[in-house]
Amino acid sequence: MKLYYFPGACPLVSHIVLEWIGKPYETVRLTFAQTKEAEYLALNPAGTVPTLVDDDFVLTQSSAILNYLAELNPQAGLLGDTPRERAETRRWLSLCNSDMHKTFTLIFGNYYTGDDAALAKIVAGKAAEKLRSLFTLVNDRLRGRDWLTGKRSVADAYLFVLLLWAGMKKIPLDGLDELGKFQARLNADAGVQAALKAQGLA
């Protein structure tokens, strides 16, 4: 199994999950330019990361990869044992992937604002406000829980990476103490540390 990634980008979620699963895998570090080259586009025509290659099966999109890894390795317990548990995991995974991650794209780049610096500042400010409200929702969810669903899941790995981004972009999370405790727990996790070190982030 092989994971293609940029350091610190969303493939870090899959990288952490691969560590939690504990089976052999390899990674391929890419530059942005390499994702636009013919060799990589043959694997992932969108020219994005992550891409997971499992023998002759090629899979893109973080949510799909995380579900695949969890279903392929039920012994790791990263999706849930019942339909309701799996639905809970997918609910929080969807929030991380579809709502929070998508909002971060308004802060990370100028795809939507072009060279208009004033507009980019307004958009980034509104995105930060939205992220604060979403992180508040997650903080409330974590009250009395170590994990989003009560058990460690793929959604927790995603939330951890989003918290790294929040720190990087100085999203105001003051007063959200449950998130701070969650991040500290994950920072102490051996699998998380292994993935961070492999990507040169720790």
Side-chain angles (χ1 to χ4, degrees), residues 130-152:
K130 178 64 175 177
L131 283 167
R132 167 75 190 198
S133 71
L134 291 168
F135 276 118
T136 299
L137 187 156
V138 176
N139 185 77
D140 292 345
R141 171 66 180 182
L142 285 170
R143 194 165 286 113
R145 295 182 176 90
D146 287 343
W147 311 103
L148 283 168
T149 67
K151 299 178 181 179
R152 187 177 70 171

PDB file of all heavy atoms in Angstrom, residues 130-152:
ATOM      1  N   LYS A 130     -16.267  31.557  10.423  1.00  0.00           N
ATOM      2  CA  LYS A 130     -17.003  30.311  10.219  1.00  0.00           C
ATOM      3  C   LYS A 130     -16.298  29.147  10.902  1.00  0.00           C
ATOM      4  O   LYS A 130     -16.935  28.302  11.551  1.00  0.00           O
ATOM      5  CB  LYS A 130     -17.156  30.037   8.720  1.00  0.00           C
ATOM      6  CG  LYS A 130     -17.877  28.743   8.378  1.00  0.00           C
ATOM      7  CD  LYS A 130     -19.319  28.753   8.858  1.00  0.00           C
ATOM      8  CE  LYS A 130     -20.063  27.505   8.406  1.00  0.00           C
ATOM      9  NZ  LYS A 130     -21.445  27.470   8.937  1.00  0.00           N
ATOM     10  N   LEU A 131     -14.981  29.095  10.770  1.00  0.00           N
ATOM     11  CA  LEU A 131     -14.218  28.013  11.393  1.00  0.00           C
ATOM     12  C   LEU A 131     -14.335  28.071  12.911  1.00  0.00           C
ATOM     13  O   LEU A 131     -14.458  27.028  13.560  1.00  0.00           O
ATOM     14  CB  LEU A 131     -12.749  28.083  10.967  1.00  0.00           C
ATOM     15  CG  LEU A 131     -12.466  27.575   9.553  1.00  0.00           C
ATOM     16  CD1 LEU A 131     -11.068  27.985   9.109  1.00  0.00           C
ATOM     17  CD2 LEU A 131     -12.633  26.070   9.471  1.00  0.00           C
ATOM     18  N   ARG A 132     -14.316  29.270  13.469  1.00  0.00           N
ATOM     19  CA  ARG A 132     -14.481  29.391  14.920  1.00  0.00           C
ATOM     20  C   ARG A 132     -15.819  28.784  15.351  1.00  0.00           C
ATOM     21  O   ARG A 132     -15.890  28.060  16.354  1.00  0.00           O
ATOM     22  CB  ARG A 132     -14.417  30.872  15.314  1.00  0.00           C
ATOM     23  CG  ARG A 132     -14.886  31.187  16.750  1.00  0.00           C
ATOM     24  CD  ARG A 132     -13.880  30.783  17.791  1.00  0.00           C
ATOM     25  NE  ARG A 132     -14.450  30.874  19.141  1.00  0.00           N
ATOM     26  CZ  ARG A 132     -13.733  30.924  20.249  1.00  0.00           C
ATOM     27  NH1 ARG A 132     -12.420  30.932  20.193  1.00  0.00           N
ATOM     28  NH2 ARG A 132     -14.314  30.966  21.430  1.00  0.00           N
ATOM     29  N   SER A 133     -16.881  29.036  14.588  1.00  0.00           N
ATOM     30  CA  SER A 133     -18.190  28.488  14.950  1.00  0.00           C
ATOM     31  C   SER A 133     -18.202  26.971  14.817  1.00  0.00           C
ATOM     32  O   SER A 133     -18.799  26.268  15.654  1.00  0.00           O
ATOM     33  CB  SER A 133     -19.289  29.110  14.084  1.00  0.00           C
ATOM     34  OG  SER A 133     -19.235  28.654  12.742  1.00  0.00           O
ATOM     35  N   LEU A 134     -17.527  26.427  13.806  1.00  0.00           N
ATOM     36  CA  LEU A 134     -17.475  24.974  13.619  1.00  0.00           C
ATOM     37  C   LEU A 134     -16.626  24.316  14.702  1.00  0.00           C
ATOM     38  O   LEU A 134     -16.985  23.259  15.232  1.00  0.00           O
ATOM     39  CB  LEU A 134     -16.933  24.647  12.232  1.00  0.00           C
ATOM     40  CG  LEU A 134     -17.851  25.014  11.057  1.00  0.00           C
ATOM     41  CD1 LEU A 134     -17.104  24.911   9.728  1.00  0.00           C
ATOM     42  CD2 LEU A 134     -19.091  24.129  11.036  1.00  0.00           C
ATOM     43  N   PHE A 135     -15.498  24.931  15.029  1.00  0.00           N
ATOM     44  CA  PHE A 135     -14.666  24.391  16.101  1.00  0.00           C
ATOM     45  C   PHE A 135     -15.392  24.454  17.446  1.00  0.00           C
ATOM     46  O   PHE A 135     -15.187  23.586  18.310  1.00  0.00           O
ATOM     47  CB  PHE A 135     -13.333  25.135  16.181  1.00  0.00           C
ATOM     48  CG  PHE A 135     -12.271  24.630  15.238  1.00  0.00           C
ATOM     49  CD1 PHE A 135     -11.742  25.445  14.249  1.00  0.00           C
ATOM     50  CD2 PHE A 135     -11.793  23.335  15.347  1.00  0.00           C
ATOM     51  CE1 PHE A 135     -10.760  24.979  13.381  1.00  0.00           C
ATOM     52  CE2 PHE A 135     -10.807  22.849  14.486  1.00  0.00           C
ATOM     53  CZ  PHE A 135     -10.296  23.677  13.504  1.00  0.00           C
ATOM     54  N   THR A 136     -16.218  25.470  17.642  1.00  0.00           N
ATOM     55  CA  THR A 136     -17.005  25.556  18.873  1.00  0.00           C
ATOM     56  C   THR A 136     -17.972  24.389  18.963  1.00  0.00           C
ATOM     57  O   THR A 136     -18.149  23.769  20.035  1.00  0.00           O
ATOM     58  CB  THR A 136     -17.773  26.888  18.927  1.00  0.00           C
ATOM     59  OG1 THR A 136     -16.837  27.972  18.917  1.00  0.00           O
ATOM     60  CG2 THR A 136     -18.624  26.988  20.189  1.00  0.00           C
ATOM     61  N   LEU A 137     -18.597  24.056  17.859  1.00  0.00           N
ATOM     62  CA  LEU A 137     -19.511  22.909  17.808  1.00  0.00           C
ATOM     63  C   LEU A 137     -18.773  21.624  18.184  1.00  0.00           C
ATOM     64  O   LEU A 137     -19.275  20.807  18.962  1.00  0.00           O
ATOM     65  CB  LEU A 137     -20.094  22.805  16.392  1.00  0.00           C
ATOM     66  CG  LEU A 137     -21.197  21.817  16.084  1.00  0.00           C
ATOM     67  CD1 LEU A 137     -21.980  22.282  14.856  1.00  0.00           C
ATOM     68  CD2 LEU A 137     -20.664  20.419  15.826  1.00  0.00           C
ATOM     69  N   VAL A 138     -17.570  21.457  17.635  1.00  0.00           N
ATOM     70  CA  VAL A 138     -16.779  20.256  17.930  1.00  0.00           C
ATOM     71  C   VAL A 138     -16.325  20.251  19.382  1.00  0.00           C
ATOM     72  O   VAL A 138     -16.324  19.213  20.053  1.00  0.00           O
ATOM     73  CB  VAL A 138     -15.578  20.155  16.968  1.00  0.00           C
ATOM     74  CG1 VAL A 138     -14.692  18.976  17.335  1.00  0.00           C
ATOM     75  CG2 VAL A 138     -16.052  20.018  15.523  1.00  0.00           C
ATOM     76  N   ASN A 139     -15.936  21.417  19.879  1.00  0.00           N
ATOM     77  CA  ASN A 139     -15.533  21.528  21.280  1.00  0.00           C
ATOM     78  C   ASN A 139     -16.665  21.068  22.204  1.00  0.00           C
ATOM     79  O   ASN A 139     -16.438  20.319  23.158  1.00  0.00           O
ATOM     80  CB  ASN A 139     -15.157  22.979  21.589  1.00  0.00           C
ATOM     81  CG  ASN A 139     -14.613  23.161  22.990  1.00  0.00           C
ATOM     82  OD1 ASN A 139     -13.472  22.828  23.275  1.00  0.00           O
ATOM     83  ND2 ASN A 139     -15.436  23.703  23.880  1.00  0.00           N
ATOM     84  N   ASP A 140     -17.883  21.492  21.904  1.00  0.00           N
ATOM     85  CA  ASP A 140     -19.037  21.081  22.706  1.00  0.00           C
ATOM     86  C   ASP A 140     -19.255  19.575  22.618  1.00  0.00           C
ATOM     87  O   ASP A 140     -19.594  18.924  23.614  1.00  0.00           O
ATOM     88  CB  ASP A 140     -20.294  21.813  22.240  1.00  0.00           C
ATOM     89  CG  ASP A 140     -20.253  23.307  22.541  1.00  0.00           C
ATOM     90  OD1 ASP A 140     -19.401  23.724  23.357  1.00  0.00           O
ATOM     91  OD2 ASP A 140     -21.051  24.055  21.936  1.00  0.00           O
ATOM     92  N   ARG A 141     -19.036  19.022  21.442  1.00  0.00           N
ATOM     93  CA  ARG A 141     -19.188  17.577  21.246  1.00  0.00           C
ATOM     94  C   ARG A 141     -18.190  16.794  22.102  1.00  0.00           C
ATOM     95  O   ARG A 141     -18.500  15.711  22.622  1.00  0.00           O
ATOM     96  CB  ARG A 141     -18.997  17.228  19.769  1.00  0.00           C
ATOM     97  CG  ARG A 141     -18.919  15.751  19.451  1.00  0.00           C
ATOM     98  CD  ARG A 141     -20.223  15.046  19.722  1.00  0.00           C
ATOM     99  NE  ARG A 141     -20.141  13.621  19.409  1.00  0.00           N
ATOM    100  CZ  ARG A 141     -21.157  12.792  19.519  1.00  0.00           C
ATOM    101  NH1 ARG A 141     -22.340  13.227  19.922  1.00  0.00           N
ATOM    102  NH2 ARG A 141     -21.010  11.514  19.226  1.00  0.00           N
ATOM    103  N   LEU A 142     -16.996  17.324  22.268  1.00  0.00           N
ATOM    104  CA  LEU A 142     -15.940  16.612  22.996  1.00  0.00           C
ATOM    105  C   LEU A 142     -16.094  16.690  24.510  1.00  0.00           C
ATOM    106  O   LEU A 142     -15.405  15.966  25.229  1.00  0.00           O
ATOM    107  CB  LEU A 142     -14.570  17.159  22.593  1.00  0.00           C
ATOM    108  CG  LEU A 142     -14.044  16.741  21.216  1.00  0.00           C
ATOM    109  CD1 LEU A 142     -12.812  17.551  20.865  1.00  0.00           C
ATOM    110  CD2 LEU A 142     -13.757  15.251  21.168  1.00  0.00           C
ATOM    111  N   ARG A 143     -16.989  17.532  24.992  1.00  0.00           N
ATOM    112  CA  ARG A 143     -17.149  17.665  26.442  1.00  0.00           C
ATOM    113  C   ARG A 143     -17.590  16.325  27.035  1.00  0.00           C
ATOM    114  O   ARG A 143     -18.620  15.781  26.660  1.00  0.00           O
ATOM    115  CB  ARG A 143     -18.155  18.768  26.761  1.00  0.00           C
ATOM    116  CG  ARG A 143     -18.134  19.198  28.214  1.00  0.00           C
ATOM    117  CD  ARG A 143     -18.847  20.512  28.428  1.00  0.00           C
ATOM    118  NE  ARG A 143     -18.049  21.645  27.932  1.00  0.00           N
ATOM    119  CZ  ARG A 143     -18.392  22.401  26.896  1.00  0.00           C
ATOM    120  NH1 ARG A 143     -19.498  22.162  26.231  1.00  0.00           N
ATOM    121  NH2 ARG A 143     -17.612  23.394  26.513  1.00  0.00           N
ATOM    122  N   GLY A 144     -16.777  15.778  27.925  1.00  0.00           N
ATOM    123  CA  GLY A 144     -17.076  14.482  28.520  1.00  0.00           C
ATOM    124  C   GLY A 144     -16.646  13.302  27.674  1.00  0.00           C
ATOM    125  O   GLY A 144     -16.928  12.151  28.016  1.00  0.00           O
ATOM    126  N   ARG A 145     -15.965  13.563  26.547  1.00  0.00           N
ATOM    127  CA  ARG A 145     -15.502  12.493  25.654  1.00  0.00           C
ATOM    128  C   ARG A 145     -14.026  12.684  25.330  1.00  0.00           C
ATOM    129  O   ARG A 145     -13.558  13.805  25.184  1.00  0.00           O
ATOM    130  CB  ARG A 145     -16.266  12.499  24.327  1.00  0.00           C
ATOM    131  CG  ARG A 145     -17.743  12.186  24.400  1.00  0.00           C
ATOM    132  CD  ARG A 145     -18.335  12.196  22.979  1.00  0.00           C
ATOM    133  NE  ARG A 145     -19.732  11.801  22.985  1.00  0.00           N
ATOM    134  CZ  ARG A 145     -20.749  12.648  23.126  1.00  0.00           C
ATOM    135  NH1 ARG A 145     -20.502  13.954  23.272  1.00  0.00           N
ATOM    136  NH2 ARG A 145     -21.994  12.216  23.119  1.00  0.00           N
ATOM    137  N   ASP A 146     -13.313  11.582  25.159  1.00  0.00           N
ATOM    138  CA  ASP A 146     -11.944  11.651  24.649  1.00  0.00           C
ATOM    139  C   ASP A 146     -11.924  11.694  23.130  1.00  0.00           C
ATOM    140  O   ASP A 146     -10.972  12.204  22.532  1.00  0.00           O
ATOM    141  CB  ASP A 146     -11.138  10.439  25.120  1.00  0.00           C
ATOM    142  CG  ASP A 146     -10.773  10.512  26.597  1.00  0.00           C
ATOM    143  OD1 ASP A 146     -10.861  11.621  27.178  1.00  0.00           O
ATOM    144  OD2 ASP A 146     -10.408   9.471  27.164  1.00  0.00           O
ATOM    145  N   TRP A 147     -12.974  11.136  22.502  1.00  0.00           N
ATOM    146  CA  TRP A 147     -13.032  10.992  21.050  1.00  0.00           C
ATOM    147  C   TRP A 147     -14.380  11.495  20.540  1.00  0.00           C
ATOM    148  O   TRP A 147     -15.364  11.512  21.273  1.00  0.00           O
ATOM    149  CB  TRP A 147     -12.838   9.528  20.636  1.00  0.00           C
ATOM    150  CG  TRP A 147     -11.657   8.882  21.276  1.00  0.00           C
ATOM    151  CD1 TRP A 147     -11.663   8.011  22.328  1.00  0.00           C
ATOM    152  CD2 TRP A 147     -10.277   9.075  20.939  1.00  0.00           C
ATOM    153  NE1 TRP A 147     -10.391   7.645  22.664  1.00  0.00           N
ATOM    154  CE2 TRP A 147      -9.512   8.280  21.826  1.00  0.00           C
ATOM    155  CE3 TRP A 147      -9.625   9.822  19.968  1.00  0.00           C
ATOM    156  CZ2 TRP A 147      -8.119   8.221  21.770  1.00  0.00           C
ATOM    157  CZ3 TRP A 147      -8.237   9.765  19.912  1.00  0.00           C
ATOM    158  CH2 TRP A 147      -7.502   8.977  20.795  1.00  0.00           C
ATOM    159  N   LEU A 148     -14.447  11.868  19.281  1.00  0.00           N
ATOM    160  CA  LEU A 148     -15.669  12.445  18.732  1.00  0.00           C
ATOM    161  C   LEU A 148     -16.873  11.524  18.855  1.00  0.00           C
ATOM    162  O   LEU A 148     -17.991  11.978  19.075  1.00  0.00           O
ATOM    163  CB  LEU A 148     -15.454  12.811  17.256  1.00  0.00           C
ATOM    164  CG  LEU A 148     -14.645  14.089  17.009  1.00  0.00           C
ATOM    165  CD1 LEU A 148     -14.241  14.185  15.547  1.00  0.00           C
ATOM    166  CD2 LEU A 148     -15.442  15.312  17.433  1.00  0.00           C
ATOM    167  N   THR A 149     -16.663  10.235  18.691  1.00  0.00           N
ATOM    168  CA  THR A 149     -17.783   9.293  18.744  1.00  0.00           C
ATOM    169  C   THR A 149     -17.785   8.461  20.024  1.00  0.00           C
ATOM    170  O   THR A 149     -18.594   7.558  20.176  1.00  0.00           O
ATOM    171  CB  THR A 149     -17.755   8.327  17.541  1.00  0.00           C
ATOM    172  OG1 THR A 149     -16.597   7.482  17.654  1.00  0.00           O
ATOM    173  CG2 THR A 149     -17.715   9.082  16.232  1.00  0.00           C
ATOM    174  N   GLY A 150     -16.873   8.750  20.924  1.00  0.00           N
ATOM    175  CA  GLY A 150     -16.717   7.940  22.123  1.00  0.00           C
ATOM    176  C   GLY A 150     -15.639   6.895  21.977  1.00  0.00           C
ATOM    177  O   GLY A 150     -15.122   6.378  22.964  1.00  0.00           O
ATOM    178  N   LYS A 151     -15.294   6.556  20.725  1.00  0.00           N
ATOM    179  CA  LYS A 151     -14.197   5.635  20.420  1.00  0.00           C
ATOM    180  C   LYS A 151     -13.287   6.304  19.395  1.00  0.00           C
ATOM    181  O   LYS A 151     -13.748   7.094  18.573  1.00  0.00           O
ATOM    182  CB  LYS A 151     -14.722   4.326  19.808  1.00  0.00           C
ATOM    183  CG  LYS A 151     -15.663   3.521  20.683  1.00  0.00           C
ATOM    184  CD  LYS A 151     -16.142   2.288  19.917  1.00  0.00           C
ATOM    185  CE  LYS A 151     -17.108   1.444  20.729  1.00  0.00           C
ATOM    186  NZ  LYS A 151     -17.583   0.273  19.947  1.00  0.00           N
ATOM    187  N   ARG A 152     -12.010   5.964  19.425  1.00  0.00           N
ATOM    188  CA  ARG A 152     -11.092   6.527  18.442  1.00  0.00           C
ATOM    189  C   ARG A 152     -11.523   6.125  17.035  1.00  0.00           C
ATOM    190  O   ARG A 152     -11.825   4.954  16.777  1.00  0.00           O
ATOM    191  CB  ARG A 152      -9.667   6.017  18.703  1.00  0.00           C
ATOM    192  CG  ARG A 152      -8.624   6.696  17.831  1.00  0.00           C
ATOM    193  CD  ARG A 152      -7.231   6.222  18.153  1.00  0.00           C
ATOM    194  NE  ARG A 152      -7.008   4.845  17.728  1.00  0.00           N
ATOM    195  CZ  ARG A 152      -5.823   4.239  17.726  1.00  0.00           C
ATOM    196  NH1 ARG A 152      -4.760   4.881  18.175  1.00  0.00           N
ATOM    197  NH2 ARG A 152      -5.703   2.988  17.327  1.00  0.00           N
TER     198      ARG A 152
END
